[in-house]
C-alpha cells in the first residue's frame, strides 16, 4: 500500500492554509504595536515590526523582523531574526534571538501574533540569566543610563535601514 | 588549538545534533519476531525477553522515533481500537464526546480559532472511518494508516490530543499536582511539557490522555517496558483496565498496547487482538494444496510462524493478510484458502483424481503396515491446534504415527510390494465426511492437520475449465496482493 496521501478528499491543514488564516486574523484584528505581512505569494517569508514598549529603553523605537516558516510549520517554530540592529541581552549582533518559545518550548498553538507579542514583552523583560549579549545583561541592572545610550546608538529607523539596503 | 569560540560552536553543534528519524510515521503491522531478530546479537537479558515476546504479543507496529512517537502510538491505537471494537456507532459516540469537550479546551484558555484545525482533523478522521465502515468498502484500516502517515494530518491529531491532555490536567489539578516535580504551576507545566510541539510524552501526560481519551471510550491501555532490568519477560509498567461509564471492568474491550524501549514507543498487539479471518463457507480441503502452501519456508523461524493460528506464510516483514479487522466486512482480499472453490465430491470413486496426491496416506515401512505416517515435514499436532506452541524448537520433527485399526491394513499378494505411495482400498469411495475435523481456528482449511487422520480425505482436483469459467482464483489473487 502506498503511504502517500495526495488523494485525500479534503486535504490536511497545509502550511499555506494555516498562514493564510493567520494573515486573515492579523488583517481583521490588528494588534496595536505589531504588524506582519508576507513578503510574497508563497507566504513562507514574512516581514514584521514591533514597537518598543513604553517605559522601557526601547520606547518609541520600531524594530523590523524577518520570519521564515518551514514546511512543517506550525509543528516547528518559525525562524525569527531582528533586522533592525538592537542592543538587547537576548539578541546577538546578527539579530538572532534567544527565546524559549522560539526553540524547544514552541507549541503549535502559538502563532505569528503571539510570537510578536512575546518578543515585545522580551524587550521590557529580558532574561538576563542566559544572555546572548553579556555586556547588555550586565548593564541592564547596573547602568540603565548607559544601556539606554547604547540602545539608541545602535538603533536605526526603518527609513535608515531601507536607505542602507539600496 | 581551537579557540573558545570554536569549542562553543562545536558544543552547540553537538547539543543540537539529532539523528535523522527514518521509517514511516506509523508502520505496517508485522510479526513481533522481528523484534526478537533485532536483538539476536544483543545483551542476554534482551535476548531472553525478546525471545519470549512473540508468544504473548504476536504483532507490532513501528512508530517513527521523531519525538512524537508516544503521542502518535496512542493516537493511532485509539482509532484502531475503534475499528477493532467492531461497532460503527462507537464512532458517532466518540465524535459527540470529543465535540462536547470543546468547553474543556476553552476553560483551559485555548483560543477556538487556534485549535479548530487540529480538532477538525481528528473529528474528520472519525467521520471518514465511520463512513468507510458503514459502506463496508474494507478500506478503513488503510485509510487510518494513510492518514497517520500524512505528516500534517497526524501532527494535527497529535496536537489535538496533547491539548486535550493539557486541558484535562488543568481542569483536574488535584489529581496531578502531586506528580509535577519542581514546577512553578500547572499551567506552566502543561505549556512546557505537554503543549510544546517537540516534547515527548511522559507519565503525567500519558495518565492524563488515558483519562480524557482512552478510558471514557471504554478501552484499556497497557505500556510494556523492554529494558535491561532483570527478568525473563517485558514488564507491564502502566495499565488501565477497560471499564464502562460506571467504572465496572469490561471484558474483551480493546486494549491499546504500547511497547516502550527507553526513549521510544512502538505499538504492540496480542495475537487475539486480530482474530482469524471471517468464517468461510465450508471447504472440502485440498490435500494437494498442502505441500504447496505450507512447506516452503526457508527459515525455521518463519516456519514456526506459519503454525500460529491466523498467520499465513507471507514471510516476515511483509504485510499480513488484509483481514486486519474481523469486523471489517472486506470481501475481496482473503487469504488464499478463500480462493479454493468448494469441492464438490464427485459421485464416482475418486481414485484417478488423486493419482499424484495420495502420497501421505500410507505407511512407510512394510513392517509397519498398521501404522500410517504423515510426512515428517512438520511437528504435527494431532489435537486440534487451538494454540500451537510457537516456542517449540521447530522440526526436525519426530515422525508421528497414527494408530489405525488393524482392519485397515492390507494383506495382499501379487507382484507389488507395499509402498507409502499408494492408496488404501476403498480410499475415496466412501461418503465425504461432513466436517468431522473442523476446528474453531482452522475450520475446514487444509491447514488443519487433523485431516491427516482422515482416511476419506478428498484432495481438490484442479480443473482448467472451471478456473477459466469462473475466473475466481485469478481475480482473488490479484486483488489480495
Amino acid at each position: 500500500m502506498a503511504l502517500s496521501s495526495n488523494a485525500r478528499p479534503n486535504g490536511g491543514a497545509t502550511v499555506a492554509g494555516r498562514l493564510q488564516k493567520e494573515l486573515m486574523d492579523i488583517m481583521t484584528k490588528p494588534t496595536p504595536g505589531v504588524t506582519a505581512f508576507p513578503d510574497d505569494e508563497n507566504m513562507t517569508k514574512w516581514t514584521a515590526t514591533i514597537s518598543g514598549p513604553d517605559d522601557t529603553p526601547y520606547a518609541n523605537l520600531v524594530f523590523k523582523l524577518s520570519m521564515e516558516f518551514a514546511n512543517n510549520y506550525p509543528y516547528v517554530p518559525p525562524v525569527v531574526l531582528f533586522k533592525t540592529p538592537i542592543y538587547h541581552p537576548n539578541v546577538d549582533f546578527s539579530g538572532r534571538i534567544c527565546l524559549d518559545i522560539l526553540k524547544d518550548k514552541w507549541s503549535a498553538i502559538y502563532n505569528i501574533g503571539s510570537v510578536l507579542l512575546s518578543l515585545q514583552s522580551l524587550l521590557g523583560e529580558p532574561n538576563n540569566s542566559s544572555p546572548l549579549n553579556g555586556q547588555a545583561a550586565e548593564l541592564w541592572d547596573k547602568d540603565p543610563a548607559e544601556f539606554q545610550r547604547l540602545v539608541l546608538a545602535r538603533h536605526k529607523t526603518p527609513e535608515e535601514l531601507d536607505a542602507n539596503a539600496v | 588549538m581551537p579557540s573558545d569560540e570554536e569549542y562553543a560552536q562545536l558544543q552547540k553543534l553537538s547539543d543540537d545534533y539529532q539523528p535523522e528519524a527514518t521509517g514511516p510515521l506509523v508502520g505496517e503491522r508485522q510479526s513481533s519476531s522481528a523484534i526478537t531478530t533485532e536483538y539476536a546479537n544483543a545483551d542476554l537479558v534482551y535476548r531472553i525477553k525478546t525471545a519470549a515476546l512473540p508468544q504473548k504479543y504476536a504483532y507490532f507496529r513501528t512508530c517513527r522515533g521523531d519525538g512524537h512517537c508516544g503521542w502518535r502510538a496512542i493516537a493511532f491505537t485509539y482509532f484502531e481500537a475503534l475499528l477493532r471494537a467492531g461497532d460503527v456507532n462507537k464512532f458517532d459516540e466518540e465524535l459527540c464526546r470529543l465535540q462536547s469537550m470543546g468547553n474543556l479546551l476553552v476553560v483551559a484558555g485555548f483560543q477556538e480559532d487556534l485549535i479548530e484545525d487540529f480538532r477538525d482533523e481528528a473529528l474528520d478522521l472519525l467521520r471518514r472511518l465511520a463512513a468507510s465502515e458503514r459502506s463496508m468498502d474494507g478500506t478503513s484500516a488503510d485509510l487510518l494508516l494513510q492518514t497517520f502517515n500524512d505528516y500534517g494530518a497526524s501532527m494535527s491529531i497529535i496536537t489535538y490530543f496533547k491539548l486535550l491532555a493539557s486541558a484535562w490536567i488543568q481542569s483536574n489539578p488535584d489529581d496531578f499536582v502531586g506528580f509535577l516535580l519542581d514546577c512553578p504551576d500547572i499551567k506552566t507545566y502543561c505549556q512546557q511539557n505537554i503543549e510544546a510541539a517537540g516534547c515527548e510524552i511522559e507519565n503525567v501526560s500519558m495518565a492524563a490522555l488515558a483519562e480524557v481519551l482512552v478510558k471514557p471510550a471504554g478501552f484499556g491501555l497497557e505500556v510494556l517496558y523492554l529494558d535491561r532490568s532483570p527478568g525473563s519477560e517485558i514488564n507491564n509498567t502502566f495499565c488501565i483496565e477497560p471499564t464502562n461509564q460506571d467504572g465496572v471492568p469490561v471484558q474483551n474491550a480493546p486494549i491499546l498496547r504500547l511497547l516502550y524501549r527507553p526513549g521510544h514507543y512502538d505499538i504492540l498487539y496480542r495475537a487475539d487482538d486480530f482474530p482469524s479471518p471471517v468464517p468461510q463457507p465450508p471447504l472440502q480441503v485440498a490435500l494437494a494444496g498442502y505441500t504447496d502452501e505450507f512447506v516452503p519456508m526457508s527459515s525455521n523461524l518463519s516456519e514456526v510462524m506459519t503454525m500460529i493460528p491466523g498467520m499465513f506464510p507471507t514471510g516476515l516483514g511483509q504485510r499480513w493478510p488484509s483481514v486486519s479487522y474481523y469486523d471489517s466486512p472486506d470481501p475481496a482480499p482473503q487469504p488464499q484458502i478463500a480462493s479454493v472453490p468448494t469441492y464438490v465430491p464427485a459421485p464416482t470413486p475418486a481414485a484417478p483424481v488423486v493419482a499424484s496426491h495420495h502420497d501421505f496416506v500410507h505407511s512407510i515401512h512394510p513392517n509397519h503396515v498398521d501404522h500410517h505416517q504423515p510426512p515428517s515435514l512438520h511437528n504435527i499436532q494431532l489435537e486440534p491446534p487451538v494454540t500451537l506452541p510457537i516456542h517449540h524448537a521447530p522440526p526436525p520433527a519426530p515422525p508421528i504415527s497414527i494408530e489405525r485399526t488393524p482392519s485397515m491394513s492390507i494383506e495382499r499378494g501379487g507382484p507389488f510390494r507395499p509402498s507409502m505411495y499408494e492408496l488404501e482400498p476403498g480410499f475415496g469411495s466412501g461418503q465425504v465426511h461432513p466436517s468431522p475435523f473442523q476446528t474453531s481456528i482452522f475450520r475446514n482449511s487444509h491447514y488443519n492437520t487433523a485431516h491427516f487422520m482422515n482416511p476419506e480425505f478428498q484432495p481438490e482436483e484442479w480443473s482448467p475449465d472451471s478456473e477459466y469459467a469462473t475466473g475466481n482464483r485469478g481475480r482473488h489473487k490479484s486483488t489480495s496482493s
Side-chain angles (χ1 to χ4, degrees), chain A residues 40-142:
Chain A
D40 54 28
E41 295 115 39
N42 72 18
M43 311 261 301
T44 57
K45 291 189 173 141
W46 289 46
T47 297
T49 65
I50 55 176
S51 44
D54 295 341
D55 306 321
T56 69
Y58 307 97
N60 306 318
L61 304 181
V62 172
F63 297 90
K64 198 164 143 184
L65 302 109
S66 71
M67 307 183 88
E68 194 169 344
F69 301 89
N71 58 10
N72 45 357
Y73 179 81
Y75 307 108
V76 295
V79 177
V80 185
L81 296 173
F82 272 97
K83 284 303 176 191
T84 307
I86 181 170
Y87 187 80
H88 185 278
N90 302 117
V91 184
D92 73 8
F93 287 115
S94 5
R96 287 180 293 221
I97 305 162
C98 181
L99 180 64
D100 59 357
I101 68 154
L102 290 178
K103 301 211 158 58
D104 56 328
K105 300 297 184 247
W106 168 258
S107 163
I109 55 168
Y110 297 144
N111 60 6
I112 295 169
S114 55
V115 165
L116 294 176
L117 288 175
S118 296
L119 287 173
Q120 204 176 31
S121 66
L122 182 72
L123 293 183
E125 300 159 18
N127 176 3
N128 286 324
S129 58
S130 63
L132 279 177
N133 180 342
Q135 185 204 32
E138 219 174 299
L139 287 178
W140 176 269
D141 288 321
K142 225 194 267 174

Side-chain angles (χ1 to χ4, degrees), chain A residues 1, chain B residues 83 128-129 131-133 135-146 325 328-330:
Chain A
M1 188 197 76
Chain B
L83 290 176
R128 284 187 294 139
L129 288 176
S132 169
E133 287 284 281
S135 68
M136 300 193 180
D137 59 4
T139 61
S140 50
D142 286 348
L143 174 68
L144 174 61
L145 192 61
Q146 270 188 10
Y325 303 102
S328 143
D330 179 357

Side-chain angles (χ1 to χ4, degrees), chain B residues 33 60 83 131 184 277 339 381 408 413:
Chain B
S33 60
F60 85 114
L83 290 176
S339 61
Q381 302 290 308
M408 299 292 284

Side-chain angles (χ1 to χ4, degrees), chain B residues 38-47:
Chain B
E38 186 184 331
Y39 284 92
N41 294 319
D43 184 89
L44 183 64
V45 177
Y46 277 126
R47 288 211 305 271

Side-chain angles (χ1 to χ4, degrees), chain B residues 12 51 77 80 82 101 108 112 146 171 180 191 215 225 227 244 247 253 277 321 323 335 365 378 389 411 451 476:
Chain B
K12 184 171 157 34
T77 46
E80 196 181 37
L82 285 171
M101 284 198 289
E112 167 67 20
Q146 270 188 10
S171 54
L180 310 183
Q191 279 175 348
K215 252 185 166 177
Y225 204 112
D227 66 355
N244 65 13
V323 283
H365 305 294
H378 298 285
E411 293 294 334
H451 286 301
H476 273 283

Side-chain angles (χ1 to χ4, degrees), chain B residues 304-388:
Chain B
V304 174
M305 298 309 293
T306 60
M307 303 174 76
I308 300 175
M311 299 184 76
F312 299 88
T314 46
L316 291 179
Q318 289 184 28
R319 187 142 187 268
W320 296 106
S322 44
V323 283
S324 322
Y325 303 102
Y326 75 132
D327 53 293
S328 143
D330 179 357
Q334 300 296 349
Q336 289 172 339
I337 50 164
S339 61
V340 178
T342 303
Y343 179 77
V344 182
T348 55
V353 166
V354 288
S356 64
H357 295 318
H358 53 248
D359 313 7
F360 308 125
V361 184
H362 216 287
S363 59
I364 286 181
H365 305 294
N367 54 341
H368 271 200
V369 270
D370 55 344
H371 285 239
H372 287 267
Q373 194 154 24
S376 57
L377 296 162
H378 298 285
N379 186 2
I380 292 168
Q381 302 290 308
L382 292 180
E383 295 183 346
V386 175
T387 52
L388 284 165

